[in-house]
Amino acid sequence: QKNEGRVYRLIHSHYWLSGMVGAILSQKTDTCHVITFHTLAELKKRALSGEGELSFRSLTERNLMQSADQIIAFSHHEMDAMVEMYGASRDRVKAVHCGVDLSQFKPLDMHESRKRLGLNGGNIMLYVGRIEPLKGVEFLLRVTSMMDMGNSLKVLIVGGDPDQEKELKRLMTLSKKIGVSEVVDFVGRVNQDELPSYFSAADVCFVPSYYESFGLVALEAMACGTPVVASRVGGLPGIIKHGRNGYLLPWRCPERYADTLTMVLLNKNLRDSMSKAAVESAGTMGWGMVSKKFVDIYQTILKEKIT
């Protein structure tokens, strides 16, 4: 502040590590502190047995929720967890869904997108995300092994780096072992501006996560007009309306997912209907609308600070 000659009235930190810095700065400068969390340690641990999260992280998250002037959760599920698992004061937690950049994520011509990506027809199922156990990629592979669609099916897994990620190498070995390596393509990381082409080229986007604080990939897919089949976890029910713009499945039963994904892939009329509904739903969650909600929260907190 001294070097720039400016006075900062509010600090917004995101994630627990940034939150520690934000809390210190807030205290030293007597500045309002607003915090959001990318994920929560306690939810991750409960979602998947053996998920390694430091107890120090959980304690830090709890302390940050006690000290922050305002906590913003990305879903009502996350808000409830903050109150029930961390002891956060409900009157200091507001739920604001994440948003999507509608200028970037929008429907593109499927045939042109496939041509651009070198894909030749067939039924395409897409996964986008980190390659880690919590994201359920192994579950995706086992579901794929139960989908009796022969060579007409192509599964694209976007994310990860084959040369560096141990989990990715394990999954590639598993895909060979269970007989799906011929239909599964581990694409690796792609640039953000390439993602709309992948979403638009796909018939369906599969989100098999054990935990999602919000589910941004699902929203990006929907903005591109791609129906989503996802686990009923975390914030995903706030985005996906079951049977309208996608499907949410509550049980981790591979056969059920395989049946649902196959149904979507083979029914063009269903996909077209869901695609239209998905675009309409995503259209209400653009970053412009979300940022306005954030600004309203900032202004309210600052007014309360003055009074």
Side-chain angles (χ1 to χ4, degrees):
Q1 295 188 85
K2 291 180 181 179
N3 292 340
E4 295 180 358
R6 295 181 179 179
V7 176
Y8 293 94
R9 300 171 61 198
L10 184 143
I11 296 169
H12 184 157
S13 59
H14 179 69
Y15 198 52
W16 69 284
L17 293 171
S18 302
M20 289 192 291
V21 178
I24 293 171
L25 288 174
S26 172
Q27 186 177 29
K28 286 184 175 295
T29 60
D30 191 29
T31 306
C32 292
H33 184 205
V34 176
I35 189 166
T36 48
F37 293 89
H38 186 69
T39 56
L40 294 174
E42 289 300 316
L43 281 178
K44 290 180 72 175
K45 286 192 290 186
R46 284 163 171 73
L48 184 61
S49 176
E51 182 70 18
E53 289 294 337
L54 297 174
S55 58
F56 175 68
R57 173 178 173 178
S58 293
L59 179 60
T60 301
E61 290 174 343
R62 178 180 292 273
N63 290 337
L64 288 169
M65 290 182 205
Q66 301 302 319
S67 65
D69 294 283
Q70 184 70 62
I71 309 159
I72 300 177
F74 291 132
S75 69
H76 286 89
H77 174 268
E78 188 178 57
M79 180 174 69
D80 291 341
M82 289 172 171
V83 174
E84 295 165 11
M85 295 182 184
Y86 288 90
S89 174
R90 190 172 287 275
D91 62 3
R92 287 193 298 110
V93 185
K94 292 188 182 298
V96 178
H97 287 300
C98 276
V100 61
D101 184 351
L102 295 174
S103 67
Q104 181 178 21
F105 292 93
K106 55 189 176 183
L108 303 175
D109 183 84
M110 176 180 282
H111 299 292
E112 287 298 319
S113 295
R114 291 188 174 190
K115 183 178 178 181
R116 189 179 304 118
L117 298 174
L119 301 169
N120 300 316
N123 301 112
I124 297 177
M125 183 168 77
L126 176 69
Y127 165 87
V128 176
R130 296 191 303 278
I131 306 299
E132 61 177 69
L134 197 69
K135 292 295 185 178
V137 184
E138 178 175 336
F139 184 73
L140 177 151
L141 295 178
R142 298 195 182 279
V143 169
T144 302
S145 71
M146 296 180 179
M147 296 172 67
D148 186 18
M149 297 185 62
N151 293 328
S152 68
L153 176 64
K154 188 70 174 177
V155 180
L156 303 180
I157 298 178
V158 176
D161 186 337
D163 297 325
Q164 298 178 2
E165 296 186 18
K166 182 178 179 181
E167 175 67 4
L168 183 52
K169 292 179 180 179
R170 184 185 75 81
L171 292 168
M172 293 174 76
T173 300
L174 177 64
S175 72
K176 294 177 182 178
K177 182 179 179 180
I178 63 177
V180 297
S181 59
E182 294 298 317
V183 299
V184 174
D185 183 6
F186 289 89
V187 177
R189 292 191 180 97
V190 302
N191 293 329
Q192 184 79 357
D193 59 4
E194 293 181 74
L195 286 178
S197 292
Y198 278 93
F199 286 126
S200 296
D203 295 295
V204 64
C205 180
F206 187 16
V207 183
S209 305
Y210 288 86
Y211 163 55
E212 287 286 348
S213 59
F214 174 68
L216 184 58
V217 165
L219 182 56
E220 290 172 345
M222 289 166 55
C224 293
T226 308
V228 179
V229 174
S231 309
R232 186 184 288 276
V233 296
L236 286 168
I239 307 170
I240 301 168
K241 305 308 175 188
H242 183 74
R244 184 170 180 269
N245 54 26
Y247 288 101
L248 287 167
L249 301 180
W251 304 288
R252 299 199 73 77
C253 174
E255 293 86 356
R256 176 79 181 277
Y257 280 84
D259 289 345
T260 302
L261 286 161
T262 301
M263 176 181 67
V264 175
L265 286 167
L266 297 182
N267 191 329
K268 187 179 185 303
N269 289 335
L270 175 63
R271 290 200 310 276
D272 289 345
S273 173
M274 286 192 161
S275 174
K276 182 179 179 181
V279 173
E280 290 175 354
S281 298
T284 66
M285 302 179 75
W287 268 120
M289 300 176 188
V290 174
S291 61
K292 183 180 183 304
K293 293 178 181 178
F294 272 71
V295 170
D296 289 343
I297 291 173
Y298 296 158
Q299 291 176 337
T300 300
I301 290 297
L302 290 172
K303 287 179 182 178
E304 290 175 355
K305 187 79 170 180
I306 294 173
T307 57

